[in-house]
Amino acid sequence: MSLKYVFRKMLPNCDNIPVTGDLDSELDFLEQIPETLEDCFKILSTEARDLYLSRTVPILDHPPTPLQFYRDYVSYNRPVLIRSAVSHWPALDLWRTNEYFRRELGSTEVTVAVTPNGLADSPVGDRFVLPEERRMKFSKFLDILENPESEPGIFYIQKQNSNLTQELPQLVEQVPELSWASQAFGKSPDAVNFWLGDKRAVTSMHKDPYENIYTVIRGYKDILLHPPTDLPWIPYRQFTQAVYKSSQDKTFSIQDIEGGETVPWICIDPLNPDLNSYPEYFNTTPIKVRVYAGETLYLPSLWFHHLSQSQGCVSVNYWYDMEFDIKYNYFNLIKNIKQLDKQNKC
Amino acid sequence: MSLKYVFRKMLPNCDNIPVTGDLDSELDFLEQIPETLEDCFKILSTEARDLYLSRTVPILDHPPTPLQFYRDYVSYNRPVLIRSAVSHWPALDLWRTNEYFRRELGSTEVTVAVTPNGLADSPVGDRFVLPEERRMKFSKFLDILENPESEPGIFYIQKQNSNLTQELPQLVEQVPELSWASQAFGKSPDAVNFWLGDKRAVTSMHKDPYENIYTVIRGYKDILLHPPTDLPWIPYRQFTQAVYKSSQDKTFSIQDIEGGETVPWICIDPLNPDLNSYPEYFNTTPIKVRVYAGETLYLPSLWFHHLSQSQGCVSVNYWYDMEFDIKYNYFNLIKNIKQLDKQNKC
């Protein structure tokens, strides 16, 4: 008879007592008696850390089977870094320099996000500012990337409308769908995005309703992650929507989007958090990971993430629709309670 | 460009907007603006119903693959009834009558739960009452089962300490582990329980920290289920622990367990709910399923369940340790908030 039975027997009717191997830590949880809603949220985020997350992203040397992947990472909703998942991708070799893009796609038009500061889709003051979107030949974009001083602004191919299949379909066969991922999710990807840009371009912290298979092809990406259980501590504000516009003299201004509703966005920079304004952010569990060329990150749905990168970093990510399951359902509960709490309604 | 992109584009910065195919129902959720903690919990349980549960347990004619099972049911945390998962079990034929048990196991000692009313591990008044446990020969138990009037009390083999492997190991090979389940969970079962008893014996509503693969071999079992998202509406009370004792004249009394701490247990009978005392129970989503001989129910971890049965019903269930993952973590949050709410602390 295992310890579990003893434990179960001791408390036969505490039907909600967790029965794991590690009785001590379980008993620790039992001793945490929350006095406030804040305490409840603190238990949520510390329990996540103690029970099933680690401070660093776990690493697999080889791709998991679809079942292992789904069971150990997707269902748990925790990230994993996979080495050698894409060693068969022609892109790893072909895209090592800009030469290939220039030769094969130089005259292809691409959509480029242009900002004065690298902040596309980001809060700036009390505005949420979209980038200026410019259509240009791929060769022109590469010229600017290689000589950043030649043109005002920071340039980043980052349009998340499945821009790989929409704008650069010639490249698709060089980054073929990863079968263990598609088999695990039981569906085809909803979007495949291509990312190439300046090291000064960052992606502000946000989350997506997608399971994300994110592969770096050249350079590296620095990704800062927060689990969904950190939601109570991540500050949001309402922002007026605006967009960057460059004038003929190539200076940038911010133009409000007329009739645009305000939108909620995360108002803290996780790389330089303003803890005076947002002391509750101190309760979070940031997890940092650098993804190098040839590595693939599984970035689970509803995880907050902030991205920065090396100069000329090239990445491709596959987005699979997330399941609107009990995890999503629970997450919405936290969002709703947090909203109430802010209004001091509970 | 799919509708999803349009929707995403319309609300590019509402990073927490769900993007599913069914925009109308998503927008409905957006319109539900909670004013109280109770509203938040109502959204939780109605959203569960509307998004990923149905009012009846879905049925599969054949066992799923391990991956399908894990992805579509375990990870979602929703039940499924599987027909013909055990058509290869020798037990289906051998255990059709009591004859086999009598012949092969007649002199084997088994542990039997005996109560005056069929309520083992159940609230009775302000006490939580355990059954009297009697050790008797299997043949004696069968005599009583076949002639219930011959002996006072209601008899049920229901000891949940892996009683199949502990007390009746000869039977194990007649109900072999289901490979798709063990493969899916990636582990061996933690316990295998054998159930045989009187139709007047019921199991009061509770939940287990186990993934449960529950198969009926003879007769049928009526199971009433509640998803974990109904927790806010399921009333618990503290009960003093007690146990049934029969005296020499075979009448039963209830004896308090000395030094026993009080224990929380569900204080509503879902078959006859006292809505005057517990009006909040009205907000739940009970799901009823009758599991017939040869059928297998996947009963997910942390789902509330109440069981009753046909006379002489025989069942076997495999318990697999649940994962202490984000779903467990979220469930604890609800438990903690509910506790606060009861104390009017929020």
Side-chain angles (χ1 to χ4, degrees):
Chain A
M1 184 174 284
S2 75
L3 249 188
K4 293 183 197 175
Y5 293 137
V6 177
F7 190 52
R8 212 180 140 76
K9 196 68 204 167
M10 279 165 54
L11 297 157
N13 30 21
C14 282
D15 74 339
N16 42 11
I17 295 294
V19 186
T20 67
D22 186 349
L23 294 184
D24 284 341
S25 76
E26 290 301 337
L27 290 168
D28 282 349
F29 291 138
L30 293 178
E31 284 164 14
Q32 293 179 294
I33 298 173
E35 295 280 329
T36 62
L37 204 50
E38 185 171 309
D39 287 348
C40 294
F41 285 143
K42 277 186 185 160
I43 293 173
L44 175 76
S45 42
T46 57
E47 191 179 81
R49 205 153 59 207
D50 295 344
L51 263 189
Y52 59 91
L53 298 179
S54 52
R55 289 300 191 129
T56 55
V57 173
I59 296 173
L60 295 178
D61 283 329
H62 300 286
T65 67
L67 174 60
Q68 284 167 341
F69 176 56
Y70 210 88
R71 182 179 59 218
D72 297 343
Y73 302 101
V74 182
S75 179
Y76 257 90
N77 194 248
R78 57 186 176 187
V80 64
L81 186 75
I82 304 154
R83 289 186 174 139
S84 73
V86 296
S87 44
H88 61 295
W89 275 11
L92 269 192
D93 186 50
L94 291 174
W95 304 2
R96 202 182 294 271
T97 67
N98 292 334
E99 189 47 38
Y100 175 84
F101 296 137
R102 219 179 260 288
R103 192 175 68 236
E104 300 292 331
L105 300 163
S107 59
T108 300
E109 289 244 319
V110 289
T111 305
V112 182
V114 188
T115 61
N117 48 17
L119 303 172
D121 302 326
S122 252
V124 175
D126 59 355
R127 288 186 168 71
F128 176 82
V129 189
L130 303 171
E132 180 170 78
E133 286 198 341
R134 290 195 209 158
R135 298 275 297 168
M136 61 178 74
K137 288 203 162 48
F138 207 142
S139 59
K140 169 75 177 165
F141 169 77
L142 293 171
D143 291 342
I144 298 168
L145 190 69
E146 290 168 8
N147 295 287
E149 306 309 319
S150 67
E151 187 83 17
I154 292 170
F155 291 66
Y156 192 13
I157 298 180
Q158 61 123 43
K159 195 171 168 68
Q160 299 142 64
N161 66 338
S162 201
N163 67 343
L164 187 78
T165 55
Q166 299 285 322
E167 300 194 349
L168 301 163
Q170 309 93 321
L171 297 182
V172 170
E173 63 186 22
Q174 293 158 16
V175 289
E177 204 173 313
L178 297 172
S179 62
W180 53 269
S182 295
Q183 276 180 46
F185 295 125
K187 58 183 86 162
S188 298
D190 190 57
V192 191
N193 299 314
F194 176 88
W195 312 78
L196 168 54
D198 193 291
K199 70 177 175 189
R200 294 165 297 171
V202 301
T203 304
S204 70
M205 196 149 76
H206 69 288
K207 65 187 180 309
D208 299 304
Y210 285 108
E211 305 292 355
N212 198 340
I213 303 290
Y214 200 107
T215 300
V216 175
I217 315 279
R218 184 211 293 170
Y220 62 81
K221 213 104 187 177
D222 281 325
I223 307 183
L224 186 146
L225 299 161
H226 282 289
T229 46
D230 275 349
L231 174 63
W233 319 118
I234 294 186
Y236 274 80
R237 262 180 48 205
Q238 289 293 130
F239 292 94
T240 306
Q241 292 191 71
V243 62
Y244 282 115
K245 282 277 176 198
S246 56
S247 56
Q248 282 194 321
D249 68 357
K250 308 231 171 172
T251 60
F252 287 87
S253 63
I254 290 175
Q255 296 195 352
D256 282 338
I257 294 174
E258 277 183 45
E261 292 180 16
T262 63
V263 290
W265 201 261
I266 293 166
C267 52
I268 198 165
D269 175 2
L271 300 189
N272 186 24
D274 175 1
L275 292 173
N276 286 324
S277 300
Y278 307 109
E280 68 275 18
Y281 184 74
F282 184 75
N283 296 317
T284 63
T285 303
I287 298 174
K288 292 180 181 179
V289 60
R290 177 168 285 187
V291 185
Y292 289 98
E295 295 180 338
T296 301
L297 178 70
Y298 163 57
L299 202 169
S301 55
L302 302 185
W303 273 61
F304 302 94
H305 50 290
H306 175 283
L307 301 95
S308 55
Q309 61 194 331
S310 62
Q311 181 63 21
C313 174
V314 186
S315 310
V316 165
N317 84 291
Y318 278 78
W319 263 342
Y320 294 83
D321 281 341
M322 67 176 282
E323 300 296 330
F324 292 92
D325 61 3
I326 196 172
K327 295 188 293 250
Y328 168 79
N329 187 204
Y330 281 139
F331 184 83
N332 275 348
L333 173 74
I334 301 177
K335 196 176 74 180
N336 285 333
I337 294 177
K338 182 184 169 188
Q339 205 63 32
L340 273 191
D341 196 32
K342 272 179 71 174
Q343 298 160 19
N344 293 317
K345 282 188 180 161
C346 84
Chain B
M1 184 173 284
S2 76
L3 248 188
K4 292 182 198 178
Y5 294 135
V6 177
F7 190 51
R8 212 180 137 77
K9 197 68 204 165
M10 278 163 55
L11 297 156
N13 29 21
C14 284
D15 73 340
N16 43 10
I17 296 293
V19 184
T20 68
D22 187 351
L23 295 183
D24 284 342
S25 74
E26 291 301 336
L27 290 169
D28 282 350
F29 291 135
L30 294 177
E31 283 163 16
Q32 292 179 291
I33 297 173
E35 295 281 330
T36 62
L37 205 49
E38 184 171 311
D39 287 349
C40 293
F41 285 143
K42 276 186 184 160
I43 293 174
L44 175 77
S45 43
T46 58
E47 192 178 79
R49 204 155 59 209
D50 294 344
L51 263 189
Y52 59 90
L53 298 178
S54 52
R55 289 301 191 129
T56 55
V57 173
I59 296 172
L60 295 178
D61 283 329
H62 300 286
T65 67
L67 175 61
Q68 283 168 341
F69 176 55
Y70 210 89
R71 181 179 60 216
D72 297 344
Y73 302 101
V74 183
S75 178
Y76 257 91
N77 193 248
R78 56 186 178 187
V80 63
L81 185 76
I82 304 153
R83 290 187 172 138
S84 73
V86 296
S87 45
H88 61 298
W89 276 10
L92 270 192
D93 187 48
L94 292 174
W95 304 1
R96 202 183 294 271
T97 67
N98 292 334
E99 190 46 41
Y100 175 84
F101 296 135
R102 221 180 258 288
R103 192 175 66 237
E104 301 291 332
L105 300 164
S107 59
T108 300
E109 290 243 319
V110 289
T111 305
V112 182
V114 189
T115 60
N117 49 17
L119 303 172
D121 303 326
S122 250
V124 176
D126 58 357
R127 287 186 169 69
F128 176 82
V129 189
L130 304 171
E132 179 171 77
E133 287 198 342
R134 289 195 210 158
R135 299 274 297 168
M136 62 178 74
K137 290 205 162 48
F138 206 142
S139 59
K140 169 75 176 162
F141 169 76
L142 293 172
D143 290 344
I144 299 169
L145 190 69
E146 288 168 7
N147 296 288
E149 305 309 320
S150 66
E151 186 84 17
I154 292 170
F155 291 65
Y156 192 13
I157 297 180
Q158 61 125 38
K159 195 172 168 68
Q160 300 142 63
N161 66 338
S162 200
N163 67 343
L164 188 77
T165 55
Q166 298 286 323
E167 301 194 349
L168 301 163
Q170 309 92 324
L171 297 182
V172 171
E173 64 186 19
Q174 292 158 16
V175 289
E177 203 174 314
L178 298 173
S179 62
W180 53 269
S182 295
Q183 277 180 46
F185 295 125
K187 59 184 84 163
S188 298
D190 190 58
V192 191
N193 300 313
F194 176 88
W195 312 78
L196 168 54
D198 194 290
K199 70 176 174 191
R200 293 165 298 171
V202 301
T203 303
S204 70
M205 195 150 75
H206 69 289
K207 65 189 180 311
D208 299 304
Y210 285 109
E211 303 294 354
N212 198 341
I213 303 290
Y214 201 107
T215 299
V216 175
I217 315 279
R218 185 212 291 172
Y220 61 80
K221 212 104 190 179
D222 281 325
I223 307 182
L224 185 147
L225 299 161
H226 281 289
T229 46
D230 275 350
L231 174 62
W233 319 117
I234 293 187
Y236 275 79
R237 261 180 49 204
Q238 289 294 130
F239 291 94
T240 306
Q241 292 190 71
V243 62
Y244 282 116
K245 282 274 178 201
S246 57
S247 57
Q248 283 194 322
D249 69 355
K250 307 230 172 176
T251 60
F252 286 88
S253 62
I254 290 176
Q255 295 195 351
D256 283 337
I257 293 175
E258 278 183 43
E261 291 180 15
T262 63
V263 290
W265 200 260
I266 293 165
C267 52
I268 198 165
D269 175 2
L271 299 190
N272 186 23
D274 175 1
L275 292 173
N276 286 323
S277 300
Y278 308 109
E280 69 274 19
Y281 184 74
F282 184 75
N283 295 317
T284 62
T285 305
I287 299 173
K288 292 180 184 179
V289 59
R290 176 168 286 187
V291 185
Y292 288 99
E295 295 180 337
T296 301
L297 177 70
Y298 163 57
L299 201 169
S301 55
L302 303 183
W303 274 61
F304 302 93
H305 50 290
H306 174 284
L307 301 95
S308 54
Q309 61 195 331
S310 61
Q311 180 64 21
C313 173
V314 186
S315 310
V316 164
N317 83 291
Y318 277 78
W319 263 341
Y320 294 83
D321 281 341
M322 67 176 282
E323 299 295 330
F324 292 92
D325 61 2
I326 196 170
K327 296 188 292 257
Y328 169 79
N329 187 204
Y330 281 139
F331 184 83
N332 276 348
L333 173 74
I334 300 177
K335 197 175 73 179
N336 284 333
I337 294 177
K338 183 185 169 189
Q339 205 63 30
L340 273 191
D341 197 31
K342 273 179 72 176
Q343 298 160 17
N344 293 316
K345 284 190 180 160
C346 83

